[in-house]
Amino acid sequence: MKYTFKKIDFSYGTMPKDKITYDYGVDYDSLPDNEKSLFQIAWRGWTPKEIQMIIDESKKATEENRYEYQVEGSDLIIVVYPNDVYFFDYHTEKEEEDFKWSFSEFIDFMEKFKKFVAENS
């Protein structure tokens, strides 16, 4: 699982450089086809503290009490169980998840994402 984290400029060059606000996310082209919906994780509000809260809450998830997180301003919903993490993008028409990871894959991704955000904010 190798992703390229990226500061994303959604103004597409229409704003002066000193006015640009960046979203933190994953480079679309680095995503496997079956995980393209992960691009929806892009959000300008990410902080290491927010990401750590997700990691901490995820670790508390049980089969009976899953943890759900919706990325602000997007249609990406992450549903965490103790063994698996499901990703749903409401832009797709699918009833089932868009893709899933093991719990350890998710935590590894979030730890690396937290480091990226800390180094680039």
Side-chain angles (χ1 to χ4, degrees), residues 3 9 11 15 33 36 39 44 47 49 51 56 60-61 63 67-68 74 78 80-81 84 89 92 106 113 116 121:
Y3 302 96
D9 172 10
S11 73
M15 297 187 69
D33 287 342
K36 291 292 189 192
F39 185 70
R44 72 189 59 190
T47 64
K49 184 178 178 179
I51 296 167
D56 293 343
K60 296 177 190 175
E63 287 298 326
Y67 175 64
E68 289 188 24
S74 87
I78 302 167
V80 181
Y81 288 93
D84 296 306
D89 178 356
T92 62
F106 175 69
F113 189 44
F116 171 80
S121 54

Side-chain angles (χ1 to χ4, degrees), residues 24 30 38 53 96 117:
Y24 298 99
S30 75
L38 185 59
M53 182 273 304
E96 67 277 354
V117 170

Side-chain angles (χ1 to χ4, degrees), residues 22-41:
Y22 292 94
D23 285 20
Y24 298 99
V26 181
D27 180 43
Y28 186 81
D29 293 329
S30 75
L31 294 167
D33 287 342
N34 66 325
E35 296 179 4
K36 291 292 189 192
S37 59
L38 185 59
F39 185 70
Q40 293 285 328
I41 204 166

Side-chain angles (χ1 to χ4, degrees), residues 33-35 37 87-100:
D33 287 342
N34 66 325
E35 296 179 4
S37 59
F87 295 81
F88 297 88
D89 178 356
Y90 283 115
H91 282 128
T92 62
E93 300 292 324
K94 297 166 62 171
E95 289 287 326
E96 67 277 354
E97 75 275 358
D98 287 87
F99 67 96
K100 78 175 184 176

